[in-house]
Amino acid sequence: MPQEIVGDMDGQGLRVAVVVARFNEFVTRQLLNGAVETLGRFGVRDEDIGVAWVPGSFELPVVAKTLAQTQRYDSVICLGAVIRGETGHYDMVAGQSSGGIASVGLETGVPTIFGVLTADNMDQAINRAGGKSGNIGSNAAVAAVETARLIQSIKTG
Ligand code: INI
């Protein structure tokens, strides 16, 4: 019988850093609220959550890496909103942000979660930040708890 290795959803004792972009703060604050609320629902204590604001999504990876390298966090969540209608360099910001965030996880071994919302316009963004299409910040928090717990379970055998 194969052994399934799973990450349970027990967030008690987990320490989580959240890096959030100030660009499009109207949207990203909702992502942050969703993430913090969901972490709490899974048992992560407020005092075990660190929140760092950065200017925009482009800056998420470097600060996420700095936080991950401290070894003080079991997971790092990156939150941002890149809206196509608002920027000519949408593809560059979105691409650098997602690629950088993926690299942080691979380079540090600390699960680094992609909670950057990409949307064609502000309406779509609002829908995905606590509106009718859910909250990408909450989804990121779920991924953070599960992946951190899975990695713990792999390491402890
Ligand atoms: N940053 C975002 O998070 N979202 C955007 O939509 C965006 N736009 O429109 O350009 C954006 N730009 C700022 C960028 O992330 C950097 O902060 C800036 O280029 C300084 O490095």
Side-chain angles (χ1 to χ4, degrees):
M1 211 29 192
Q3 290 279 323
E4 258 196 21
I5 309 162
V6 289
D8 65 27
M9 293 306 297
D10 182 3
Q12 283 182 67
L14 286 184
R15 296 154 308 162
V16 179
V18 185
V19 196
V20 55
R22 203 174 293 112
F23 205 100
N24 292 319
E25 182 176 345
F26 177 68
V27 174
T28 61
R29 198 167 275 281
Q30 296 311 313
L31 299 179
L32 177 62
N33 291 343
V36 169
E37 192 267 330
T38 301
L39 289 172
R41 208 149 33 83
F42 287 108
V44 181
R45 297 180 311 174
D46 258 1
E47 55 267 42
D48 289 332
I49 303 173
V51 178
W53 286 86
V54 295
S57 295
F58 192 83
E59 285 73 38
L60 290 168
V62 67
V63 174
K65 185 168 186 177
T66 308
L67 288 160
Q69 284 173 330
T70 65
Q71 295 294 328
R72 286 203 295 266
Y73 297 101
D74 300 294
S75 186
V76 179
I77 297 173
C78 297
L79 301 176
V82 190
I83 303 176
R84 191 183 289 276
E86 315 267 306
T87 171
H89 55 295
Y90 168 96
D91 290 317
M92 274 180 276
V93 174
Q96 290 298 326
S97 176
S98 61
I101 290 166
S103 299
V104 173
L106 294 172
E107 287 165 13
T108 63
V110 178
T112 304
I113 307 299
F114 182 66
V116 178
L117 180 164
T118 53
D120 289 332
N121 53 53
M122 186 54 90
D123 263 7
Q124 255 184 19
I126 290 167
N127 285 340
R128 296 172 188 169
K132 62 184 177 203
S133 308
N135 187 319
I136 280 177
S138 306
N139 300 349
V142 171
V145 172
E146 181 178 352
T147 313
R149 294 288 292 157
L150 175 59
I151 287 175
Q152 281 182 348
S153 136
I154 293 167
K155 285 183 175 168
T156 56

PDB file of all heavy atoms in Angstrom, residues 62-76:
ATOM      1  N   VAL A  62      12.079  40.062  -3.510  1.00  0.00           N
ATOM      2  CA  VAL A  62      13.302  40.338  -2.729  1.00  0.00           C
ATOM      3  C   VAL A  62      12.996  40.389  -1.224  1.00  0.00           C
ATOM      4  O   VAL A  62      13.788  39.898  -0.400  1.00  0.00           O
ATOM      5  CB  VAL A  62      14.022  41.619  -3.234  1.00  0.00           C
ATOM      6  CG1 VAL A  62      13.213  42.877  -2.969  1.00  0.00           C
ATOM      7  CG2 VAL A  62      15.389  41.751  -2.582  1.00  0.00           C
ATOM      8  N   VAL A  63      11.833  40.929  -0.893  1.00  0.00           N
ATOM      9  CA  VAL A  63      11.492  40.990   0.540  1.00  0.00           C
ATOM     10  C   VAL A  63      11.057  39.602   1.028  1.00  0.00           C
ATOM     11  O   VAL A  63      11.404  39.187   2.146  1.00  0.00           O
ATOM     12  CB  VAL A  63      10.436  42.084   0.808  1.00  0.00           C
ATOM     13  CG1 VAL A  63       9.967  42.055   2.249  1.00  0.00           C
ATOM     14  CG2 VAL A  63      11.032  43.462   0.486  1.00  0.00           C
ATOM     15  N   ALA A  64      10.357  38.870   0.179  1.00  0.00           N
ATOM     16  CA  ALA A  64       9.985  37.491   0.545  1.00  0.00           C
ATOM     17  C   ALA A  64      11.244  36.668   0.809  1.00  0.00           C
ATOM     18  O   ALA A  64      11.318  35.893   1.771  1.00  0.00           O
ATOM     19  CB  ALA A  64       9.165  36.854  -0.569  1.00  0.00           C
ATOM     20  N   LYS A  65      12.265  36.851  -0.026  1.00  0.00           N
ATOM     21  CA  LYS A  65      13.506  36.081   0.143  1.00  0.00           C
ATOM     22  C   LYS A  65      14.196  36.450   1.453  1.00  0.00           C
ATOM     23  O   LYS A  65      14.691  35.577   2.184  1.00  0.00           O
ATOM     24  CB  LYS A  65      14.448  36.333  -1.039  1.00  0.00           C
ATOM     25  CG  LYS A  65      15.695  35.488  -0.988  1.00  0.00           C
ATOM     26  CD  LYS A  65      16.458  35.533  -2.282  1.00  0.00           C
ATOM     27  CE  LYS A  65      17.628  34.550  -2.248  1.00  0.00           C
ATOM     28  NZ  LYS A  65      18.349  34.524  -3.511  1.00  0.00           N
ATOM     29  N   THR A  66      14.227  37.742   1.763  1.00  0.00           N
ATOM     30  CA  THR A  66      14.846  38.192   3.013  1.00  0.00           C
ATOM     31  C   THR A  66      14.132  37.567   4.216  1.00  0.00           C
ATOM     32  O   THR A  66      14.778  37.085   5.158  1.00  0.00           O
ATOM     33  CB  THR A  66      14.804  39.732   3.095  1.00  0.00           C
ATOM     34  OG1 THR A  66      15.366  40.262   1.891  1.00  0.00           O
ATOM     35  CG2 THR A  66      15.575  40.251   4.286  1.00  0.00           C
ATOM     36  N   LEU A  67      12.810  37.557   4.163  1.00  0.00           N
ATOM     37  CA  LEU A  67      12.034  36.961   5.261  1.00  0.00           C
ATOM     38  C   LEU A  67      12.282  35.453   5.339  1.00  0.00           C
ATOM     39  O   LEU A  67      12.488  34.899   6.430  1.00  0.00           O
ATOM     40  CB  LEU A  67      10.539  37.239   5.056  1.00  0.00           C
ATOM     41  CG  LEU A  67      10.120  38.687   5.303  1.00  0.00           C
ATOM     42  CD1 LEU A  67       8.786  38.990   4.626  1.00  0.00           C
ATOM     43  CD2 LEU A  67      10.035  38.963   6.803  1.00  0.00           C
ATOM     44  N   ALA A  68      12.291  34.801   4.191  1.00  0.00           N
ATOM     45  CA  ALA A  68      12.486  33.338   4.177  1.00  0.00           C
ATOM     46  C   ALA A  68      13.860  32.983   4.735  1.00  0.00           C
ATOM     47  O   ALA A  68      14.008  32.015   5.487  1.00  0.00           O
ATOM     48  CB  ALA A  68      12.321  32.807   2.752  1.00  0.00           C
ATOM     49  N   GLN A  69      14.868  33.778   4.385  1.00  0.00           N
ATOM     50  CA  GLN A  69      16.236  33.472   4.821  1.00  0.00           C
ATOM     51  C   GLN A  69      16.433  33.619   6.332  1.00  0.00           C
ATOM     52  O   GLN A  69      17.403  33.102   6.879  1.00  0.00           O
ATOM     53  CB  GLN A  69      17.225  34.362   4.076  1.00  0.00           C
ATOM     54  CG  GLN A  69      17.453  33.897   2.642  1.00  0.00           C
ATOM     55  CD  GLN A  69      18.304  34.864   1.841  1.00  0.00           C
ATOM     56  OE1 GLN A  69      18.286  36.065   2.095  1.00  0.00           O
ATOM     57  NE2 GLN A  69      19.048  34.356   0.881  1.00  0.00           N
ATOM     58  N   THR A  70      15.552  34.351   7.007  1.00  0.00           N
ATOM     59  CA  THR A  70      15.691  34.468   8.466  1.00  0.00           C
ATOM     60  C   THR A  70      15.439  33.125   9.155  1.00  0.00           C
ATOM     61  O   THR A  70      15.792  32.949  10.313  1.00  0.00           O
ATOM     62  CB  THR A  70      14.682  35.485   9.059  1.00  0.00           C
ATOM     63  OG1 THR A  70      13.349  34.990   8.854  1.00  0.00           O
ATOM     64  CG2 THR A  70      14.834  36.869   8.467  1.00  0.00           C
ATOM     65  N   GLN A  71      14.761  32.203   8.444  1.00  0.00           N
ATOM     66  CA  GLN A  71      14.377  30.902   9.018  1.00  0.00           C
ATOM     67  C   GLN A  71      13.392  31.078  10.179  1.00  0.00           C
ATOM     68  O   GLN A  71      13.221  30.170  10.982  1.00  0.00           O
ATOM     69  CB  GLN A  71      15.610  30.102   9.481  1.00  0.00           C
ATOM     70  CG  GLN A  71      16.524  29.696   8.334  1.00  0.00           C
ATOM     71  CD  GLN A  71      15.880  28.685   7.373  1.00  0.00           C
ATOM     72  OE1 GLN A  71      15.066  27.857   7.778  1.00  0.00           O
ATOM     73  NE2 GLN A  71      16.215  28.773   6.085  1.00  0.00           N
ATOM     74  N   ARG A  72      12.780  32.253  10.273  1.00  0.00           N
ATOM     75  CA  ARG A  72      11.802  32.460  11.351  1.00  0.00           C
ATOM     76  C   ARG A  72      10.384  32.098  10.917  1.00  0.00           C
ATOM     77  O   ARG A  72       9.467  32.128  11.728  1.00  0.00           O
ATOM     78  CB  ARG A  72      11.832  33.935  11.804  1.00  0.00           C
ATOM     79  CG  ARG A  72      13.054  34.302  12.624  1.00  0.00           C
ATOM     80  CD  ARG A  72      12.794  35.538  13.496  1.00  0.00           C
ATOM     81  NE  ARG A  72      12.559  36.724  12.708  1.00  0.00           N
ATOM     82  CZ  ARG A  72      13.496  37.608  12.374  1.00  0.00           C
ATOM     83  NH1 ARG A  72      14.729  37.442  12.785  1.00  0.00           N
ATOM     84  NH2 ARG A  72      13.198  38.666  11.650  1.00  0.00           N
ATOM     85  N   TYR A  73      10.203  31.800   9.615  1.00  0.00           N
ATOM     86  CA  TYR A  73       8.844  31.562   9.119  1.00  0.00           C
ATOM     87  C   TYR A  73       8.735  30.196   8.437  1.00  0.00           C
ATOM     88  O   TYR A  73       9.650  29.755   7.754  1.00  0.00           O
ATOM     89  CB  TYR A  73       8.436  32.680   8.141  1.00  0.00           C
ATOM     90  CG  TYR A  73       8.404  34.027   8.831  1.00  0.00           C
ATOM     91  CD1 TYR A  73       9.455  34.925   8.689  1.00  0.00           C
ATOM     92  CD2 TYR A  73       7.355  34.365   9.686  1.00  0.00           C
ATOM     93  CE1 TYR A  73       9.451  36.145   9.359  1.00  0.00           C
ATOM     94  CE2 TYR A  73       7.342  35.577  10.357  1.00  0.00           C
ATOM     95  CZ  TYR A  73       8.386  36.460  10.195  1.00  0.00           C
ATOM     96  OH  TYR A  73       8.377  37.651  10.865  1.00  0.00           O
ATOM     97  N   ASP A  74       7.586  29.568   8.647  1.00  0.00           N
ATOM     98  CA  ASP A  74       7.314  28.279   8.007  1.00  0.00           C
ATOM     99  C   ASP A  74       6.781  28.474   6.595  1.00  0.00           C
ATOM    100  O   ASP A  74       6.798  27.538   5.792  1.00  0.00           O
ATOM    101  CB  ASP A  74       6.285  27.496   8.843  1.00  0.00           C
ATOM    102  CG  ASP A  74       6.810  27.240  10.246  1.00  0.00           C
ATOM    103  OD1 ASP A  74       7.794  26.496  10.365  1.00  0.00           O
ATOM    104  OD2 ASP A  74       6.261  27.811  11.218  1.00  0.00           O
ATOM    105  N   SER A  75       6.289  29.655   6.315  1.00  0.00           N
ATOM    106  CA  SER A  75       5.789  29.945   4.981  1.00  0.00           C
ATOM    107  C   SER A  75       5.769  31.457   4.787  1.00  0.00           C
ATOM    108  O   SER A  75       5.654  32.214   5.765  1.00  0.00           O
ATOM    109  CB  SER A  75       4.366  29.374   4.823  1.00  0.00           C
ATOM    110  OG  SER A  75       3.928  29.540   3.498  1.00  0.00           O
ATOM    111  N   VAL A  76       5.922  31.868   3.530  1.00  0.00           N
ATOM    112  CA  VAL A  76       5.844  33.293   3.200  1.00  0.00           C
ATOM    113  C   VAL A  76       4.772  33.460   2.118  1.00  0.00           C
ATOM    114  O   VAL A  76       4.812  32.772   1.084  1.00  0.00           O
ATOM    115  CB  VAL A  76       7.199  33.831   2.681  1.00  0.00           C
ATOM    116  CG1 VAL A  76       7.082  35.304   2.315  1.00  0.00           C
ATOM    117  CG2 VAL A  76       8.303  33.629   3.718  1.00  0.00           C
TER     118      VAL A  76
END
